[in-house]
Amino acid sequence: MKRKQKFLMAAFVLTLSLLLAACGGDKNADNGKQSGENDGGKKDYGIKFLTIASGGTGGTYYPLGGTFATLIGDATGIEANSITSNASAENMASIQKEDVEVAFTQTDIATYATEGTNMFEEKIDNVQGLGTLYPETIQIVALKGSGIETVADLKGKTVSVGEAGSGTRANAEQILEMYDMSVEDVKARNLSFDDSSTGLQDGTIDAAFITAGTPTGAVEGLSATKDVIIVPLDNDKIEALIEKYPYYAKETIPEGTYGADHEVETVAVQAMLVVRSDLTEDLVYDMTKAIFENTDKIGHAKGELIKTENALNGMGIDIHPGAQKYFDEKGVKAE
């Protein structure tokens, strides 16, 4: 009888030990999982899909958008994709409607959106900056032999001033203003970059305003078959424009661009990425890191201009805490 009791007691102790070991193993397994991770070992950012609003296929946003989607997807495990759009102003509206999570825009358009001015009837209050990227050059494109050599020559001509409500349209209005003109002084057409290129090629328009990083795909395509010129801005007009609208900066288009044999003086705003303010700090931090630490993987020429140390310059709107955390770690300050 005593032997049986000893046997039962030993069995009980052994069973209890196994149970405690199993519990301890489960606890250690849980502790081995990083905070915020899901069962797949990836962080749980609260979303599984992410959409980047870029621009038209003839601009610079479109190819960059595809690259950024790949970089973000590889870094986070989120299914990221880039979609075409009418660019800056439409992208800000898409952020407001929560149709997209990330968007390209111009710094001037981002400012208008958060202030509820210009083409925005109300403030967009759910957007924050991720980082500025590179200069968006205002290019007034015409064909050689068109008789258009100065901005003043645009008067009475058929001119694409950008799509309705676009950043390009706002740039055209402000530059024409410096020359005591308005869009009513030209035969204005609201065309995309690709349609502007086609219009110049077939002669249905005389000139086009195009705001994009140079070289711009649509203009490069045109210059392959036609001799193009970029109409320069006069220095005094550039100074007056910057004084009234401080988000502009003087910009020089290098010799050789589109086959030109000389430099062209014009102005630029900054391209930037914005995000919805409800995205988590972890997600935006990892997105920012993925982009700015992999610029060597950007095939477009503008990749050389996208630098961490410049990413806060000219932003003009509040930065997302996740992006701010990354730039703080890098010691980046706005100039």
Side-chain angles (χ1 to χ4, degrees):
M1 186 68 176
K2 288 183 179 179
R3 183 177 297 176
K4 184 176 181 181
Q5 288 177 338
K6 288 181 180 179
F7 176 81
L8 290 174
M9 181 62 71
F12 174 78
V13 170
L14 178 61
T15 302
L16 182 61
S17 298
L18 290 173
L19 287 172
L20 289 174
C23 291
D26 287 343
K27 184 176 181 180
N28 290 336
D30 288 341
N31 288 342
K33 186 187 295 183
Q34 294 295 319
S35 178
E37 286 185 357
N38 58 31
D39 291 337
K42 290 284 188 179
K43 287 184 181 178
D44 183 0
Y45 298 105
I47 61 172
K48 295 182 179 180
F49 304 96
L50 182 145
T51 302
I52 303 172
S54 62
T57 56
T60 307
Y61 291 169
Y62 178 72
L64 288 179
T67 300
F68 290 174
T70 299
L71 293 176
I72 291 169
D74 289 347
T76 65
I78 291 173
E79 186 175 326
N81 70 92
S82 176
I83 61 172
T84 61
S85 74
N86 290 330
S88 295
E90 180 180 294
N91 289 353
M92 297 301 290
S94 295
I95 288 278
Q96 181 182 36
K97 293 183 288 186
E98 299 187 356
D99 290 338
V100 301
E101 287 74 35
V102 186
F104 286 80
T105 189
Q106 296 170 198
T107 49
D108 54 336
I109 303 304
T111 299
Y112 300 152
T114 56
E115 292 177 348
T117 57
N118 207 299
M119 71 281 292
F120 297 96
E121 295 181 357
E122 59 182 42
K123 295 180 180 180
I124 295 179
D125 58 7
N126 67 332
V127 63
Q128 292 175 312
L130 182 147
T132 56
L133 303 171
Y134 59 85
E136 289 266 48
T137 308
I138 288 80
Q139 305 163 75
I140 305 174
V141 186
L143 298 183
K144 285 185 178 178
S146 64
I148 299 174
E149 297 180 354
T150 69
V151 177
D153 294 331
L154 296 176
K155 191 168 186 176
K157 298 294 197 300
T158 303
V159 181
S160 171
V161 293
E163 295 181 281
S166 68
T168 300
R169 169 84 185 209
N171 301 145
E173 291 173 346
Q174 291 161 355
I175 287 172
L176 290 172
E177 177 190 349
M178 297 301 108
Y179 287 82
D180 298 319
M181 289 192 290
S182 71
V183 290
E184 282 71 35
D185 292 307
V186 302
K187 297 173 184 175
R189 299 282 302 278
N190 298 119
L191 303 177
S192 68
F193 297 165
D194 283 331
D195 289 343
S196 293
S197 176
T198 300
L200 285 164
Q201 186 158 10
D202 62 24
T204 56
I205 64 173
D206 301 305
F209 281 82
I210 291 179
T211 301
T214 55
T216 305
V219 185
E220 279 193 306
L222 177 64
S223 68
T225 59
K226 298 284 187 179
D227 291 330
V228 305
I229 63 167
I230 305 298
V231 179
L233 302 188
D234 299 298
N235 281 330
D236 61 331
K237 304 301 185 185
I238 291 175
E239 291 173 3
L241 182 70
I242 294 172
E243 183 176 355
K244 184 166 184 179
Y245 303 106
Y247 38 74
Y248 284 104
K250 189 173 183 178
E251 180 76 3
T252 300
I253 300 176
E255 176 183 346
T257 307
Y258 312 128
D261 59 4
H262 60 278
E263 295 179 339
V264 177
E265 299 299 326
T266 183
V267 292
V269 291
Q270 287 282 321
M272 70 181 298
L273 280 179
V274 296
V275 296
R276 284 201 342 233
S277 54
D278 62 347
L279 298 186
T280 68
E281 182 175 320
D282 274 353
L283 175 56
V284 178
Y285 173 89
D286 288 343
M287 287 166 48
T288 307
K289 182 176 182 178
I291 291 169
F292 284 96
E293 294 192 1
N294 291 284
T295 55
D296 59 318
K297 297 178 182 177
I298 299 173
H300 194 278
K302 286 303 171 192
E304 297 180 2
L305 300 179
I306 300 173
K307 298 180 179 180
T308 304
E309 59 265 31
N310 299 329
L312 297 181
N313 294 345
M315 181 169 293
I317 66 171
D318 291 339
I319 186 170
H320 192 283
Q324 185 68 65
K325 178 182 176 182
Y326 175 77
F327 294 123
D328 284 347
E329 290 179 357
K330 296 298 180 180
V332 177
K333 303 291 183 183
E335 293 183 359

